[in-house]
Amino acid sequence: MVEENRSKPQDEEDNEDEEEIDETFYKTVKDAVLFVIEVSPSMLETLLPTDPKRPERDSPASAALKCAYSLMQQRIISNPNDMMGVLLYGTEQSKFYEDDHNTQSSAYPHCYLFTDLDVPSAEDVKALKSLVEEEEDFKKLMVPSKDKVSMANVLFCANQIFTTRAANFSSRRLFIVTNNDDPHSDDRPLKSSATVRAKDLYDLGVYIELFPISKPGQEFDRRKFYDDIIYSSLPTDPAAPAPLVPPATAISPADGLSLLNSLLSTINSRAAAWRSLFSNLPFEIAPGLKISVKGYIIIKRQEPKRSCYVSLEGEKPQLAVGVTTQMEEDTARAVEKVEIKKAFRFGGEQIIFTKDEISQLRNFGDPVIRIIGFKPVAMLPMWANLRPATFIYPSEDDYVGSTRVFSALWQKLLKDEKMGIVWYIARRNAAPVIAALYPGPEKLDEKGTQTTAPGLWLIPLPYADDVRQNPETQLIRAPEPLIDKMRIIVQQLQLPKAVYDPSRYPNP
């Protein structure tokens, strides 16, 4: 048999007999992020350092560019297929694809497409690095325009970029960095036009994220302009809880270094796109009562992408494709795929199964989440967790009214401190899982901003074969003086407010 093996992960090879997963049931979302950074005198104003030992001097515009450069470096390693671009607005120069640098002839005056929305190349990284680190390049390009810039024109420019470069991407996001909370305070038609352009972006599936920066002595006020163009991802049913992404808090920096750190932290917390594990999966609450839900893996270890081999024999480097050939041990003859049979060993003999028989053995029914009973939440031990929990949320695509039924179930489980026990099959031919349906409450921080969305969590439970005996150990207790000294060390290692937010700490 000659079998092409294009460096598939081990899990894919083990599950190669599973049916192809439909895109509506599993989405590996490719993400496209466009940074839109304002260039104005206030955005270019350098903040004086407050610490003489750390003399970094950053303006809001340069800090935003450094954040874009940092995110581009991260994505080259962690998400090499995702797209990213940088659009500057308010500049004296104008540039959009084939435009020259003449503002008068440009389709989008005072909009400068510095890095096109694409998979970052080496040239893109070098150009952005040069703009960030070379003061001469920065001063040459970052010249603010004397004329006001229409936000409707900026949003329409972004619309054209997404339509041209990322038309089929499931996740498209616009990151706006500005310190101007009311760009059209004296022009109502321009404000209305910007609202219409923002609605066009949302109809296209582009989500706008605002990263506001407060001016010295003036707090950024979203209500003046941006509340009309920043949409919340609320469901159509207002009675249900929604997994809202909390809006970014306006940054009030004391100096350039704190501005850069705050902006980096805020952007890193929103850098990862939501990637659905399944969509429109039937959720059977009782016989004859079904709704549809979507599932998300909120916490998953980010692993480096697989490396690849490069051939340098041609005129330019090319990716080498590995090919695996299976051969007979004695004659070295290539074995065809049809000649290979699959067998399992029982009682010392190999029992051969056909492909159809193996498919029947693996088939436990269609994908579904089915409630088979209820238990008190207190009966769920901490150790009974095999894999990361899956966050599920209602979808109105297949069953209208799913949101209301889901909300009623969530509220009842939360009120009575109960959890559901469910039969869970994620996809066709997947092994069934007994899982706990745990009601997660909404959590807010001290400012009233949502940190954890309300919803239901699927927690896979172990079978009897998965539980192992604890090793025999003898408890060794340290003396009290040593415990007292260690207590001082532990107290010094505690995080601020004793809270760890993983969304703010990228894996180095």
Side-chain angles (χ1 to χ4, degrees), residues 342-414:
K342 291 199 173 182
F344 295 91
R345 185 177 293 276
F346 292 101
E349 295 185 9
Q350 290 184 344
I351 310 300
I352 298 177
F353 290 88
T354 64
K355 186 175 181 180
D356 292 338
E357 289 173 336
I358 292 177
S359 297
Q360 291 178 10
L361 288 173
R362 291 185 173 183
N363 185 17
F364 288 90
D366 292 331
V368 70
I369 300 173
R370 182 182 297 117
I371 294 181
I372 57 180
F374 297 94
K375 292 288 185 181
V377 169
M379 293 187 65
L380 180 65
M382 180 66 70
W383 52 263
N385 194 342
L386 287 176
R387 294 187 297 276
T390 302
F391 181 81
I392 63 173
Y393 205 76
S395 169
E396 297 281 333
D397 294 344
D398 288 350
Y399 298 95
V400 177
S402 294
T403 306
R404 283 192 177 274
V405 176
F406 185 94
S407 177
L409 175 64
W410 170 78
Q411 293 179 30
K412 182 62 176 176
L413 291 176
L414 198 62

Side-chain angles (χ1 to χ4, degrees), residues 227-460:
D227 274 354
D228 294 332
I229 70 170
I230 305 295
Y231 287 68
S232 299
S233 53
L234 283 167
T236 54
D237 190 342
L244 291 176
V245 178
T249 305
I251 300 171
S252 301
D255 56 20
L257 183 63
S258 63
L259 168 65
L260 177 60
N261 292 335
S262 300
L263 201 55
L264 270 173
S265 177
T266 307
I267 289 179
N268 280 330
S269 67
R270 284 163 170 75
W274 280 60
R275 303 174 189 266
S276 58
L277 176 67
F278 52 77
S279 295
N280 304 328
L281 187 69
F283 181 17
E284 186 176 323
I285 300 175
L289 178 58
K290 286 184 179 180
I291 62 176
S292 58
V293 294
K294 292 183 178 181
Y296 300 88
I297 297 179
I298 305 299
I299 298 177
K300 185 180 184 298
R301 183 174 183 269
Q302 180 68 55
E303 299 177 354
K305 297 297 180 182
R306 297 177 63 91
S307 59
C308 55
Y309 295 101
V310 178
S311 173
L312 302 176
E313 294 182 357
E315 295 181 358
K316 61 179 182 178
Q318 292 182 336
L319 294 179
V321 179
V323 178
T324 301
T325 304
Q326 296 190 359
M327 310 176 71
E328 287 186 358
E329 185 177 1
D330 299 333
T331 63
R333 181 183 68 88
V335 181
E336 300 294 334
K337 190 173 183 179
V338 294
E339 300 180 62
I340 296 179
K341 306 291 183 182
K342 291 199 173 182
F344 295 91
R345 185 177 293 276
F346 292 101
E349 295 185 9
Q350 290 184 344
I351 310 300
I352 298 177
F353 290 88
T354 64
K355 186 175 181 180
D356 292 338
E357 289 173 336
I358 292 177
S359 297
Q360 291 178 10
L361 288 173
R362 291 185 173 183
N363 185 17
F364 288 90
D366 292 331
V368 70
I369 300 173
R370 182 182 297 117
I371 294 181
I372 57 180
F374 297 94
K375 292 288 185 181
V377 169
M379 293 187 65
L380 180 65
M382 180 66 70
W383 52 263
N385 194 342
L386 287 176
R387 294 187 297 276
T390 302
F391 181 81
I392 63 173
Y393 205 76
S395 169
E396 297 281 333
D397 294 344
D398 288 350
Y399 298 95
V400 177
S402 294
T403 306
R404 283 192 177 274
V405 176
F406 185 94
S407 177
L409 175 64
W410 170 78
Q411 293 179 30
K412 182 62 176 176
L413 291 176
L414 198 62
K415 178 182 177 182
D416 295 348
E417 296 184 351
K418 299 283 188 180
M419 65 178 179
I421 305 298
V422 300
W423 173 266
Y424 168 46
I425 301 177
R427 59 184 185 273
R428 297 188 187 279
N429 292 341
V433 175
I434 301 295
L437 190 68
Y438 186 88
E442 181 183 29
K443 295 182 180 179
L444 307 175
D445 60 13
E446 65 276 2
K447 298 181 181 179
T449 303
Q450 186 187 83
T451 57
T452 302
L456 296 175
W457 296 81
L458 283 175
I459 303 176

